[in-house]
């Protein structure tokens, strides 16, 4: 079975500073990994996904994530935070024909002026 | 806008009642997934349909059922509602059947409040 741990339930950064949202996963098989963002009262939007190609994945809005198999991690980063990045971020692990998407508990990102 | 539509946006009902949530997938997508998002349980996968057939089941209660119709829209039926069923219900769709690697596109959700 798969599982996801998001190490921080809440992260605060100042506008213009780097963002790091941490995600560790557990999977018996080669996983696919995703990051989704949920703005208040909105649905979930895909930021990026990893499916066994390049380990450094670039997504929308300047976000990227690096798959590190040895550390079972898939941390999300952005060089410079913007006010519009304030939202809830979910790390997701999945395997083919498995339990489908398994969501992490989410990390709430606040961006301070 | 993901292209996935859900109706209604909000639903308020009483305990013991039955409701139906509706989802239309993106054009061309054959799979539909249902999720429940609540404060205590987080986001949980309920069930997946592919081209009209049930493909995978998650933490779906026996009081809940779903189906996917020939035009590929899906309905989630919740019956004998309890206070704890109050949550945001999301529908997602994807092109294929490979729930693992297919990107899922999410609708805006239906907020269910059970009083």
């Amino acid at each position: 079975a798969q599982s996801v741990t998001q190490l921080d339930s809440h992260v605060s950064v100042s506008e213009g500073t780097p963002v790091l949202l941490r995600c560790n996963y557990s999977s018996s098989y080669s996983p696919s990994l995703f990051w989704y963002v949920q703005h208040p009262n909105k649905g979930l939007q895909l930021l990026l996904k990893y499916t066994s190609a390049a380990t450094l994945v670039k997504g929308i809005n300047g976000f990227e994530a690096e798959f590190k198999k040895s550390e079972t991690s898939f941390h999300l980063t952005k060089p410079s935070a913007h006010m519009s990045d304030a939202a809830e971020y979910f790390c997701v692990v999945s395997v083919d024909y498995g339990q489908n998407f398994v969501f992490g508990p989410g990390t709430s990102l606040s961006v301070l002026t | 806008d993901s292209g996935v539509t859900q109706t209604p946006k909000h639903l308020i009902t009483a305990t013991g009642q039955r409701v139906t949530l509706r989802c239309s997938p993106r054009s061309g997508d054959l799979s539909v997934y249902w999720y429940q998002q609540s404060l205590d349980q987080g986001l949980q996968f309920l069930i997946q349909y592919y081209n009209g057939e049930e493909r995978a089941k998650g933490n779906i209660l026996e009081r809940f059922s779903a189906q996917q119709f020939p035009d590929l829209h899906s309905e989630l039926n919740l019956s004998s509602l309890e206070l704890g069923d109050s949550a945001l219900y999301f529908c997602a769709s994807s092109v294929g059947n490979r729930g693992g690697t297919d990107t899922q596109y999410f609708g805006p959700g239906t907020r269910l409040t059970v009083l």
Side-chain angles (χ1 to χ4, degrees), chain B residues 4-43:
Chain B
V4 178
T5 60
Q6 289 187 248
T7 56
K9 284 189 78 170
H10 302 276
L11 200 48
I12 301 175
T13 187
T15 54
Q17 295 299 305
R18 174 190 166 94
V19 297
T20 297
L21 313 184
R22 183 189 167 101
C23 168
S24 292
R26 294 186 323 153
S27 176
D29 285 359
L30 298 178
S31 274
V32 169
Y33 310 79
W34 286 98
Y35 292 86
Q36 180 193 58
Q37 184 179 34
S38 61
L39 282 174
D40 52 344
Q41 301 278 354
L43 260 160

Side-chain angles (χ1 to χ4, degrees), chain B residues 39-92:
Chain B
L39 282 174
D40 52 344
Q41 301 278 354
L43 260 160
Q44 292 207 77
F45 166 68
L46 296 178
I47 197 163
Q48 176 201 359
Y49 278 82
Y50 173 75
N51 205 21
E53 293 190 6
E54 182 184 304
R55 278 297 175 170
K57 231 172 183 175
N59 300 318
I60 188 166
L61 299 171
E62 284 193 15
R63 301 183 284 109
F64 296 0
S65 65
Q67 56 184 134
Q68 186 179 28
F69 295 86
D71 67 352
L72 301 177
H73 91 271
S74 177
E75 293 181 355
L76 179 67
N77 300 296
L78 316 176
S79 61
S80 303
L81 284 167
E82 302 174 0
L83 295 177
D85 297 327
S86 295
L88 196 49
Y89 290 84
F90 285 109
C91 166

Side-chain angles (χ1 to χ4, degrees), chain A residues 32 34 36 38 41-46 49 51 90 94-101 103-105, chain B residues 33 35 37 43 45 48 56 59 88 90 97-109 111:
Chain A
S32 295
F34 304 77
Y36 280 83
Q38 184 179 27
N41 300 312
K42 300 279 188 186
L44 291 103
Q45 180 184 21
L46 176 71
K49 81 178 201 183
T51 54
F90 294 93
S94 187
V95 296
D96 279 347
Y97 305 108
Q99 201 181 334
N100 272 277
F101 275 21
F103 280 80
Chain B
Y33 310 79
Y35 292 86
Q37 184 179 34
L43 260 160
F45 166 68
Q48 176 201 359
N59 300 318
L88 196 49
F90 285 109
N97 180 33
R98 299 186 68 175
T101 54
D102 275 354
T103 297
Q104 295 182 24
Y105 296 89
F106 284 77
R111 183 168 295 282

Side-chain angles (χ1 to χ4, degrees), chain A residues 78-97:
Chain A
K78 182 173 180 177
S80 176
H82 190 271
M83 292 296 293
S84 61
D85 295 328
E88 189 86 13
Y89 291 79
F90 294 93
C91 182
V92 180
V93 65
S94 187
V95 296
D96 279 347
Y97 305 108

